[in-house]
């Protein structure tokens, strides 16, 4: 993957296809390859005449590893995305994020709506409106010497997933320790773009997408039956609903 410098941080990215640009933002502890290539999204989007721009978030994949929670502040994560569009000379693009990437995409649309067309917030819903729980089991799982000692099943799953992708666990833990929950209602209300909020019916990490979409002036929601958070992206019904939204069929 080629790299560019975003305020001194090396960010790895890829551009594939020709047509309407769309920026893809992967989820926490993932990579752009795992979220968007392995699951068939790049193939589907390029076939539909999109120019797909994807990148590894700072601390993830082939991008530079950083070890202070403040390095992963929302302003810095969104700044990397805008810097990439500027680097590529793209004035406006559609936008899709998954999970933590959806949170970043929501704030991008709220603060830089003129840079984006249609927006997809995938694997995100009412849980984003809830206050954070005490403690940080995911960061603690990533920092644990022995993953088998981690009692929280969800946190252990993130640890094993990150390990399987060969992530730098210390960098991913630092990302987990940066709080990003505040201001969700205000950000949602500030988005004037057309937005699709979509999640699986069994996605306990996201919650109900309708509750979040209802806060947006031009938001709509889709619930995909039978799927959860981890299997949402490869789900054909999930992909079909997003592609219909992006291509104007709905």
């Amino acid at each position: 993957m080629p790299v560019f410098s975003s305020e001194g941080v090396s960010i790895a990215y890829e551009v594939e296809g020709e047509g309407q640009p769309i920026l893809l933002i992967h989820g926490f502890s993932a990579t752009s390859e795992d979220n968007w290539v392995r699951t068939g999204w790049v193939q589907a989007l390029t076939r539909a005449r999109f120019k797909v721009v994807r990148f590894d978030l700072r601390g993830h994949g082939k991008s530079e590893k950083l070890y202070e929670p403040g390095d992963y502040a929302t302003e810095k994560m969104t700044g990397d995305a805008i810097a990439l569009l500027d680097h590529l000379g793209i004035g406006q693009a559609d936008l899709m994020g998954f999970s933590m990437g959806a949170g970043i995409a929501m704030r991008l649309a709220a603060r830089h709506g003129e840079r984006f067309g249609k927006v997809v917030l995938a694997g995100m819903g009412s849980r984003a409106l809830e206050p954070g729980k005490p403690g940080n089991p995911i960061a603690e799982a990533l920092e644990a010497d022995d993953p088998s000692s981690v009692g929280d099943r969800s946190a252990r799953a993130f640890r094993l997933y990150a390990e399987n992708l060969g992530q730098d666990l210390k960098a991913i833990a630092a990302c987990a320790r940066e709080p990003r929950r505040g201001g969700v209602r205000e950000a949602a209300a500030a988005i004037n773009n057309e937005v699709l909020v979509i999640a699986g019916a069994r996605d306990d990490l996201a919650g109900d997408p309708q509750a979040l979409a209802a806060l947006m002036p031009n938001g709509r929601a889709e619930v995909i039956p039978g799927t959860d958070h981890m299997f949402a992206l490869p789900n054909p019904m999930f992909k079909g609903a997003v592609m219909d939204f992006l291509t104007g069929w709905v």
Side-chain angles (χ1 to χ4, degrees):
M1 297 174 75
V3 299
F4 83 105
S5 176
S6 174
E7 297 292 329
V9 177
S10 178
I11 301 294
Y13 69 95
E14 195 65 80
V15 181
E16 292 144 297
E18 295 293 336
Q20 167 65 20
I22 182 167
L23 178 66
L24 304 181
I25 307 179
H26 67 76
F28 171 74
S29 78
T31 65
S32 66
E33 178 82 16
D34 192 70
N35 270 183
W36 306 120
V37 179
R38 180 185 62 80
T39 58
W41 280 95
V42 170
Q43 182 182 39
L45 287 164
T46 54
R47 280 183 175 177
R49 305 288 185 183
F50 284 91
K51 175 188 285 187
V52 178
V53 180
R54 58 184 176 89
F55 68 106
D56 285 343
L57 293 167
R58 53 175 55 206
H60 295 68
K62 297 180 180 178
S63 289
E64 186 172 342
K65 310 305 182 290
L66 305 162
Y67 301 104
E68 295 297 329
D71 292 327
Y72 299 93
T74 298
E75 293 76 13
K76 294 182 179 180
M77 304 280 266
T78 57
D80 292 340
I82 295 296
L84 176 56
L85 294 180
D86 290 345
H87 173 73
L88 296 172
I90 296 174
Q92 188 181 76
D94 289 334
L95 175 64
M96 179 175 177
F98 175 68
S99 195
M100 182 181 76
I104 295 169
M106 182 184 67
R107 286 164 174 82
L108 278 167
R111 299 172 185 177
H112 306 279
E114 75 284 353
R115 298 297 300 267
F116 301 103
K118 291 186 175 182
V119 178
V120 179
L121 306 181
M124 189 177 186
S126 58
R127 291 293 298 275
L129 301 171
E130 299 173 4
K133 295 180 179 179
N136 196 323
I138 292 177
E140 291 168 4
L142 290 162
E143 294 164 346
D145 292 333
D146 180 4
S148 66
S149 68
V150 179
D152 186 300
R153 290 180 60 188
S154 178
R156 186 168 65 249
F158 274 109
R159 162 68 181 260
L160 295 175
Y161 177 63
E163 282 188 327
N164 287 337
L165 292 180
Q167 301 278 31
D168 183 324
L169 298 184
K170 184 179 177 182
I172 301 298
C175 180
R177 290 200 175 280
E178 174 61 22
R180 272 178 292 270
R181 279 188 176 267
V184 172
R185 291 180 182 275
E186 293 81 2
I191 299 173
N192 293 312
N193 309 66
E194 287 185 73
V195 183
L196 173 65
V197 187
I198 182 168
R202 297 170 56 200
D203 189 341
D204 294 333
L205 291 177
D208 177 17
Q210 181 59 53
L212 183 59
L215 300 174
M216 302 174 187
N218 295 298
R220 66 181 72 174
E222 287 275 357
V223 178
I224 305 303
T227 196
D228 61 12
H229 197 73
M230 302 305 282
F231 291 95
L233 288 179
N235 183 288
M237 291 179 63
F238 197 99
K239 193 178 279 105
V242 171
M243 294 301 296
D244 284 348
F245 171 73
L246 289 172
T247 55
W249 287 97
V250 292

